[in-house]
Amino acid sequence: MDLHLATYFVAVIDHGGITKAAQALYISQPSLSQAIRTLERRLGVTLFDRTGRRLELTDAGRRVEVAARRILADVDRAKAKVAAVRELRSGRVDIVADASFAIDPLVSLVRAFRTRFDHVLVRITAADGPAGILTALRSGDAEIGVMDSDADHASFTALPLGTQELVLVAAPGIVDDDLPDADGTLSHARVRDLPLIVDLSDQASAAVLAGIVADGARNVVVDSAHPNVTWDLVSRGVGATIAPRAVAADEAPALPVYELRPPLRRHYGLVLRSGQPSPAAAAFIATARGVLGSPSAPGSEPGPLDDVAVW
């Protein structure tokens, strides 16, 4: 049953005849009469008893009425669900990230997003480095990736967001007083003599840390892929770790932090799969840009994909 024919059929019932129904539907009376005859012909039944002055449903017509009203109700519910997603009264945004950005910047981005859109579910999955993130985007397992913007990202659309400053964090006694320079910084050469607790399986991080990990990783005393374990070991004086300054402030606020010389920085951003993003994803992108991205020009109100570029 065509949707418009179901609509016309129910309108005739509700308005008690062709004339009033045609007026309510803003179509001509002959057109509506023809639509009802078309529906009867397609179904092979007579829907109305036309012998009296008022149209009365036949037994077949009453059965068709039940089906027609069910169809229209289903359509209304579907429209309501679509509207709810578009208005972000519901929906879900799927994000994939690796361990390097699971806390900074992802936590602040999700927190800001949920403050504005508290009816939208945020689903976060883990991936093994940039390659795993791109695989998740290609397969449709995620719609947005958070990753190192210096990594190979093929031709994915991307939005650069910011830069992490990496610092060395260690419990007292790990770094001798004479190791830092007068300005308090640690050279990469000095770090290569310190016991480190890092994740060597994270290829993106391993590339960034290449200058401070000694040949053969001889200064790595614990190769840990679990952040909670890493921070517990660092706090207990087993070794030092390299982490974003913001993460160090959250995870180990009481431990000494040392800037590195030359500085270690890691650029990050969002990677987007091809096609128009869902309303929830577009809202997350806009939120991320508002929290970490470049400010908009005065008086402007950019769309969620303004300033998106390909790295």
Side-chain angles (χ1 to χ4, degrees):
M1 187 186 303
D2 289 350
L3 182 59
H4 76 281
L5 292 180
T7 302
Y8 292 168
F9 173 55
V10 171
V12 172
I13 298 171
D14 290 344
H15 291 280
I18 295 291
T19 301
K20 291 183 179 180
Q23 292 172 350
L25 294 169
Y26 298 101
I27 62 175
S28 68
Q29 184 175 332
S31 295
L32 181 54
S33 296
Q34 180 60 44
I36 296 301
R37 286 194 293 270
T38 298
L39 180 57
E40 289 179 321
R41 185 171 61 254
R42 290 184 180 180
L43 297 177
V45 298
T46 299
L47 299 173
F48 293 100
D49 182 354
R50 297 175 173 83
T51 57
R53 296 183 61 182
R54 179 181 175 88
L55 291 181
E56 298 290 344
L57 283 170
T58 63
D59 289 342
R62 281 188 284 272
R63 290 193 296 271
V64 174
E65 178 189 7
V66 173
R69 290 191 185 277
R70 184 182 300 119
I71 290 171
L72 296 179
D74 289 343
V75 170
D76 286 342
R77 282 191 291 268
K79 288 180 178 178
K81 289 181 179 180
V82 171
V85 171
R86 291 195 176 279
E87 296 167 13
L88 292 182
R89 289 186 280 113
S90 65
R92 186 180 81 184
V93 56
D94 296 318
I95 302 170
V96 60
D98 62 23
S100 302
F101 306 105
I103 298 177
D104 176 42
L106 192 53
V107 169
S108 61
L109 294 182
V110 172
R111 182 170 54 201
F113 178 77
R114 286 284 303 162
T115 298
R116 295 182 58 192
F117 306 105
D118 59 352
H119 290 87
V120 179
L121 172 66
V122 179
R123 174 177 171 265
I124 301 173
T125 56
D128 185 13
I133 290 173
L134 298 183
T135 297
L137 294 174
R138 289 191 188 97
S139 66
D141 289 339
E143 196 170 0
I144 298 174
V146 183
M147 64 178 278
D148 189 332
S149 60
D150 293 327
D152 183 15
H153 44 267
S155 59
F156 280 82
T157 302
L159 175 64
L161 287 181
T163 302
Q164 288 178 337
E165 178 194 5
L166 301 180
V167 295
L168 185 136
V169 187
I174 296 295
V175 179
D176 293 338
D177 293 340
D178 61 344
L179 283 183
D181 289 338
D183 60 0
T185 62
L186 277 172
S187 69
H188 292 194
R190 297 289 179 90
V191 175
R192 286 195 288 270
D193 291 327
L194 294 175
L196 294 182
I197 303 172
V198 294
D199 181 9
L200 294 178
S201 66
D202 183 349
Q203 296 180 354
S205 294
V208 174
L209 302 180
I212 62 176
V213 173
D215 293 343
R218 56 180 173 78
N219 61 330
V220 176
V221 295
V222 179
D223 178 4
S224 170
H226 299 283
N228 291 339
V229 173
T230 296
W231 287 112
D232 193 36
L233 292 173
V234 171
S235 67
R236 294 172 184 270
V238 175
T241 194
I242 306 296
R245 182 182 289 276
V247 175
D250 286 339
E251 298 293 332
L255 295 185
V257 171
Y258 301 89
E259 295 183 9
L260 301 172
R261 193 187 73 255
L264 279 185
R265 296 188 175 93
R266 186 163 48 194
H267 308 291
Y268 61 84
L270 303 184
V271 190
L272 318 175
R273 69 186 187 190
S274 60
Q276 184 68 21
S278 68
F284 188 89
I285 295 165
T287 299
R289 189 179 56 185
V291 173
L292 298 172
S294 301
S296 304
S300 66
E301 185 63 30
L305 292 183
D306 288 353
D307 300 331
V308 171
V310 176
W311 285 323

